[in-house]
Amino acid sequence: MQTGERICVGFLTSWNAQTRAVVTLRPDLLATLFGAAGQKAQMLLDRAFRLMNAQLGSGCTLTEITPPMSGLFFGESEVCHVNAYTELLQIAKLMSSSLSALAEPDNPDAADEVDARPDQAQPARQFVTRVRDLAVKRDVRVANCFNKDVALKSSRRLTRFGFMSDSLVAHFGLLQPSNIRNSVRMTRGLITELTLAERASGRHSLLILGFPSLESPTLSDKERRAVEDYKEELDMEAQEFKVRFAGADNDAAACDALMAAL
């Protein structure tokens, strides 16, 4: 199509000792891109993946498969390791082409809009939960220190912090490449809350910022540069407000940073 767009058409997976090839490209997207020829493209994809599954069934490993042409050209595959089925689904979602927005003609600008729905905070809550589980395994005494509601000066409503002990108050933020500008705005708000909490209570403050591994195949070059730039920028802003900063590209690193600050 000469659009410069990379389209992920499917996955080769090995899970629970089972290997298979799965088409993930939506038929309606093919119809949007190629019109009446979309159905023919779907048939070519289905045939190619059937042949790849036949190779797997004959004893080939994932690295030994030769994708059949079937009138199509397959680019290089990207390899990613996961430890949970939810991670596999997340990667499948991230690798989906942004061209899928073309299948929504009633909202052509959807890909550029900021998603302001409340469920944006869900990944951050899950991040805190995973770090809490790791921290409790190391020291059960911190179990009751997570997700604490505190009333800050000049605010009538309670503010929830990811962690609060007698000596430390901490927030957990996330840089999400899919909506990185909104992630940065939210993180700056966390820095402000930590500053207020430190002034009011005398506790040390810590911002733990999670971000995807820069080696992740799910990141484009543009996303990788944006994560690096914003991470450095937020680190400097935290230092200006005397808030300690720790970047973490995995849950264990985030837990290490928290425990080291206690």
Side-chain angles (χ1 to χ4, degrees):
M1 293 181 298
Q2 298 183 348
T3 62
E5 182 79 21
R6 178 183 61 189
I7 302 178
C8 178
V9 298
F11 287 84
L12 297 172
T13 66
S14 178
W15 190 258
N16 288 337
Q18 293 184 347
T19 55
R20 60 176 179 158
V22 183
V23 179
T24 58
L25 187 61
R26 288 162 40 188
D28 60 332
L29 174 57
L30 287 173
T32 301
L33 292 173
F34 304 114
Q39 186 175 1
K40 296 180 180 179
Q42 183 70 46
M43 292 173 61
L44 292 175
L45 278 174
D46 290 342
R47 179 177 183 274
F49 276 79
R50 283 198 303 272
L51 292 174
M52 285 189 283
N53 277 315
Q55 293 180 55
L56 290 171
S58 66
C60 288
T61 65
L62 292 180
T63 56
E64 294 172 337
I65 284 183
T66 303
M69 295 300 291
S70 298
L72 300 172
F73 176 77
F74 286 90
E76 295 183 1
S77 59
E78 298 191 29
V79 180
C80 189
H81 300 279
V82 298
N83 297 314
Y85 193 66
T86 53
E87 295 177 11
L88 179 63
L89 294 176
Q90 182 181 27
I91 290 174
K93 179 180 178 182
L94 290 171
M95 289 296 289
S96 297
S97 171
S98 60
L99 283 177
S100 61
L102 292 175
E104 300 175 1
D106 293 335
N107 192 9
D109 298 323
D112 297 323
E113 292 180 355
V114 173
D115 188 352
R117 294 176 299 178
D119 60 2
Q120 276 190 335
Q122 184 65 20
R125 288 194 293 266
Q126 294 172 345
F127 179 40
V128 178
T129 299
R130 295 194 303 269
V131 174
R132 181 197 64 193
D133 292 343
L134 291 174
V136 171
K137 288 180 180 179
R138 299 189 191 185
D139 188 344
V140 70
R141 292 175 296 178
V142 303
N144 295 324
C145 296
F146 287 87
N147 297 319
K148 290 285 189 177
D149 292 328
V150 180
L152 299 177
K153 290 182 179 179
S154 72
S155 177
R156 295 183 179 180
R157 56 186 180 83
L158 297 177
T159 300
R160 171 159 291 192
F161 289 90
F163 182 92
M164 180 171 285
S165 67
D166 292 338
S167 60
L168 178 71
V169 57
H171 260 319
F172 297 84
L174 277 181
L175 276 183
Q176 301 181 65
S178 59
N179 201 349
I180 196 164
R181 291 183 180 178
N182 194 50
S183 296
V184 171
R185 285 195 294 269
M186 293 178 66
T187 303
R188 285 175 173 147
L190 299 181
I191 293 175
T192 299
E193 291 178 352
L194 287 169
T195 302
L196 294 174
E198 182 174 357
R199 292 174 181 174
S201 66
R203 295 178 173 89
H204 295 296
S205 59
L206 171 67
L207 172 63
I208 299 176
L209 184 64
F211 54 89
S213 170
L214 298 179
E215 304 300 322
S216 172
T218 64
L219 293 180
S220 66
D221 290 339
K222 182 178 179 181
E223 289 174 330
R224 192 171 288 109
R225 288 193 299 269
V227 169
E228 289 181 303
D229 291 344
Y230 279 122
K231 179 169 67 72
E232 182 178 349
E233 183 177 317
L234 291 167
D235 186 0
M236 291 189 294
E237 290 184 21
Q239 291 181 31
E240 289 179 6
F241 288 95
K242 304 298 188 294
V243 172
R244 282 186 284 181
F245 177 92
D249 63 1
N250 60 76
D251 300 338
C255 182
D256 290 341
L258 176 65
M259 303 305 286
L262 293 176

